[in-house]
Amino acid sequence: MHSFAPDTVELDRRSFVDGNFLENKGAPIEVHRPSDGKIAAVFHEADEGVVDHAVTAAKEALKRSGWATAAPRQRAAVMRRWAALVEKHSLAMAQLESVCSSRPIAETLERDVPVAIELLRFYGECADKTSGEVFETPRDVWSLTLHEPYGVVAAISPWNVPLLLATAKFAPALAAGNAVVLKPSELTPFSALRMAALAVEAGLPHGLFNVLVGTGQHTGSALVRHPGVSYVTFTGSTRTGAAVMTDAAHHGMKPVSLELGGKSPQLVFADAPDLGRVAEMVASSITRNSGQICFCGSRLVVQRDVAQNLLERIVDRVKTARPGPTWSEATTLPPLISMPQAERAQRIVDQARAAGGELVCGGQRFMDGKAVFFEPTVITNVQPGSEVLRDEVFGPVLTVQTFDNYEEGLALAAHPLYGLSAGIHTSDIDKALAAAQSVEAGVVWVNAYGRSDDIVSPFGGFKQSGFGKDFGVAAFEKYRRARNVWIRLGQPRAAAEAAHAEIAK
Ligand code: NDP
């Protein structure tokens, strides 16, 4: 019922700066639709001049509009109106999100767009429901914290869940009183551009939210380095995160928060409450978005007694994934974002097989017209330290390792570099809690896997999976800095000093 014809979707091809769409003059970029390989749009990227224009407009908007200093409920009201407008345009927004990305329409309509709307509302409400502290001091002193926005926040987001991951940045940053310049992935800028236009329609003052189209190498890097940017929030690969952090360190020592890659384990003990449910969770975690999810549970670590049974159930389920274009409602296995991405996944799987890995199912990329897909792949007997165990594949590829006892299971679940998320499946509460506290991961799901639509919980990794949280109140708080104001009162001073002298005796 919600399948759509991709050619009917109109795409904005310009940056959005100071409340208006703006032609860029940088190098031309072709955006291809992953589902049929067609060129969907050609745009020019935002060069340094446009980046400067956007950051300057953001700074001036902050001064002019009083956004940071007005009553927080005024910000909340704008966020509410913005959410209502996005809701009104939900279907169009879902199509816009699906047409050039790997997100199937069923998921953008049921999940990505509704969650983005909820993020606008949630962070609008945070605006006046968080407060500073007053510290315990002598009576003649008041020491308190005032929270204030940083100023202009640069937000950089990836292509894999474009709308949701971008909204998880700009919604809290704006609600906290900042202005935002967002650089979404060059492959998927369209939903963010529409969000910016709707923000202005909702009454957000011009210049507070700007969206730049362009590559990371040029537009993204120029944005991070711009002297007018006071805070950088980034979601993407660990490698790019390091480059962003370096740029931020060398151009003003700006604070950064980084949501980076992962290689998450699904640790399944023999006493897992329901193997059928576990199989469902493992299978959907690797097939959803065709594995192109940062918290994809791509390493199954399972106790030997139940390994065969679980594996058979997982294989049965992954085989039901239906490949197809993102604009078909029936699709549950979308295309990979690009051919280089598919070639990389193929190389990693081939290398694992050459080193003795055994395929239980899948193992091949395949084409449908110009769209490239990857078969859901389950591979056992993988070599410790191999690329398929160490690196993100960003395809529907699951490795399987078995263990005999608790310690062995935890050791296999540990990853030398990443610490984004982990799943633990057991009916023993002691074991679940012990494992949840031992595994080095920023998010641990017990007898569950994957983010629910509930946005109240913070999400973010440890180690090379980054630092700083998106989602939850924690994300709002990270976009404010704390100022300590220390006030010595004049009147009661003499009495207080006398009291201090008394105590000192
Ligand atoms: P990339 O790191 O390639 O790119 C992320 C963003 O950074 C894009 O907008 C990109 O622009 C931009 N960029 C690239 N180089 C620079 C630079 N030097 N300076 C500033 N910006 C730059 O990641 P992908 O887009 O390929 O996304 C997939 C990655 O994101 C995976 O590793 C995944 O695990 C991670 N991710 C992490 C999440 C988390 O919450 N921890 C959530 C989702 C994804 P462009 O692509 O346009 O060139």
Side-chain angles (χ1 to χ4, degrees):
M1 197 169 40
H2 292 299
S3 298
F4 65 97
D7 291 335
T8 59
V9 179
E10 279 187 34
L11 303 171
D12 298 312
R13 294 170 169 79
R14 297 160 293 170
S15 291
F16 191 86
V17 176
D18 206 8
N20 293 294
F21 283 100
L22 175 94
E23 277 310 336
N24 297 311
K25 296 190 180 69
I29 297 173
E30 284 179 358
V31 180
H32 294 255
R33 295 196 299 228
S35 293
D36 65 3
K38 278 196 186 158
I39 297 175
V42 180
F43 56 74
H44 291 266
E45 75 173 333
D47 60 11
E48 293 206 2
V50 174
V51 172
D52 182 53
H53 181 177
V55 176
T56 306
K59 276 183 92 97
E60 279 170 9
L62 278 175
K63 269 194 234 148
R64 191 186 62 234
S65 65
W67 180 249
T69 49
R73 280 219 74 72
Q74 283 181 269
R75 294 203 292 273
V78 172
M79 302 292 287
R80 268 200 311 275
R81 287 200 298 273
W82 189 4
L85 268 177
V86 179
E87 196 160 38
K88 188 171 145 197
H89 296 287
S90 283
L91 182 58
M93 189 60 93
Q95 292 180 349
L96 201 53
E97 180 70 342
S98 287
V99 71
C100 279
S101 74
S102 59
R103 304 291 300 135
I105 183 69
E107 289 191 36
T108 55
L109 200 55
E110 279 162 29
R111 180 149 203 275
D112 300 12
V113 174
V115 174
I117 294 166
E118 202 53 22
L119 284 166
L120 295 176
R121 293 200 175 111
F122 179 82
Y123 288 114
E125 285 307 317
C126 282
D128 66 343
K129 292 183 183 57
T130 46
S131 47
E133 283 173 280
V134 181
F135 300 97
E136 292 301 323
T137 52
R139 283 294 288 275
D140 60 337
V141 168
W142 281 66
S143 175
L144 45 106
T145 45
L146 299 178
H147 287 125
E148 59 190 28
Y150 279 93
V152 179
V153 170
I156 298 181
S157 55
W159 52 262
N160 63 332
V161 192
L163 174 65
L164 237 169
L165 295 177
T167 310
K169 295 191 175 304
F170 63 72
L174 285 166
N178 299 282
V180 172
V181 181
L182 169 72
K183 208 274 322 152
S185 167
E186 73 192 77
L187 306 174
T188 55
F190 305 109
S191 53
L193 288 165
R194 189 66 55 89
M195 286 295 263
L198 290 176
V200 168
E201 207 179 317
L204 187 76
H206 286 205
L208 282 177
F209 182 29
N210 308 278
V211 180
L212 300 177
V213 293
T215 60
Q217 209 190 348
H218 298 130
T219 313
S221 175
L223 177 59
V224 173
R225 288 183 280 110
H226 195 287
V229 164
S230 305
Y231 186 101
V232 180
T233 174
F234 172 82
T235 298
S237 62
T238 298
R239 203 173 130 176
T240 310
V244 165
M245 202 170 162
T246 307
D247 271 346
H250 290 294
H251 294 83
M253 196 62 94
K254 300 158 195 180
V256 294
S257 70
L258 303 173
E259 294 292 334
L260 308 175
K263 188 73 189 174
S264 301
Q266 295 266 23
L267 179 58
V268 183
F269 291 96
D271 59 2
D274 177 349
L275 276 192
R277 246 191 89 222
V278 176
E280 189 62 56
M281 286 186 265
V282 174
S284 92
S285 161
I286 65 152
T287 53
R288 180 171 273 198
N289 215 26
S290 280
Q292 302 168 109
I293 299 264
C294 54
F295 57 78
C296 171
S298 55
R299 291 187 299 124
L300 175 63
V301 178
V302 55
Q303 201 152 12
R304 199 176 309 276
D305 322 32
V306 293
Q308 191 55 35
N309 184 347
L310 180 63
L311 217 52
E312 283 166 15
R313 292 169 188 249
I314 292 170
V315 171
D316 284 349
R317 280 170 176 79
V318 296
K319 283 186 173 161
T320 64
R322 285 185 303 272
T326 49
W327 42 79
S328 162
E329 202 175 6
T331 296
T332 55
L333 189 78
L336 296 195
I337 191 75
S338 65
M339 185 54 89
Q341 178 60 31
E343 284 167 353
R344 180 176 173 274
Q346 188 70 66
R347 179 183 56 73
I348 294 175
V349 169
D350 291 349
Q351 275 176 4
R353 291 184 68 188
E358 286 166 29
L359 278 182
V360 182
C361 67
Q364 290 298 323
R365 69 185 152 112
F366 62 96
M367 306 291 297
D368 181 3
K370 284 191 174 163
V372 60
F373 295 82
F374 210 93
E375 293 171 342
T377 298
V378 179
I379 181 162
T380 61
N381 204 28
V382 280
Q383 291 302 307
S386 59
E387 196 173 354
V388 74
L389 270 181
R390 192 189 60 226
D391 291 351
E392 280 185 303
V393 177
F394 246 47
V397 177
L398 180 73
T399 59
V400 184
Q401 294 167 286
T402 50
F403 65 92
D404 291 306
N405 58 47
Y406 175 82
E407 286 73 24
E408 219 186 313
L410 270 184
L412 285 175
H415 191 279
L417 305 177
Y418 291 124
L420 186 58
S421 56
I424 293 166
H425 305 271
T426 173
S427 49
D428 178 340
I429 184 73
D430 290 339
K431 208 191 300 175
L433 289 179
Q437 290 175 86
S438 301
V439 65
E440 270 198 287
V443 184
V444 182
W445 290 292
V446 176
N447 296 329
Y449 200 84
R451 283 196 62 85
S452 75
D453 293 347
D454 196 333
I455 54 174
V456 299
S457 310
F459 183 86
F462 293 167
K463 304 198 290 187
Q464 292 196 20
S465 293
F467 46 81
K469 304 290 181 188
D470 278 349
F471 299 93
V473 177
F476 177 83
E477 284 176 341
K478 82 178 179 187
Y479 294 112
R480 304 184 311 165
R481 60 186 181 189
R483 179 192 296 265
N484 175 224
V485 178
W486 197 94
I487 310 158
R488 182 181 281 279
L489 304 179
Q491 281 295 56
R493 191 165 169 183
E497 274 171 5
H500 297 168
E502 183 75 13
I503 294 168
K505 281 182 204 156

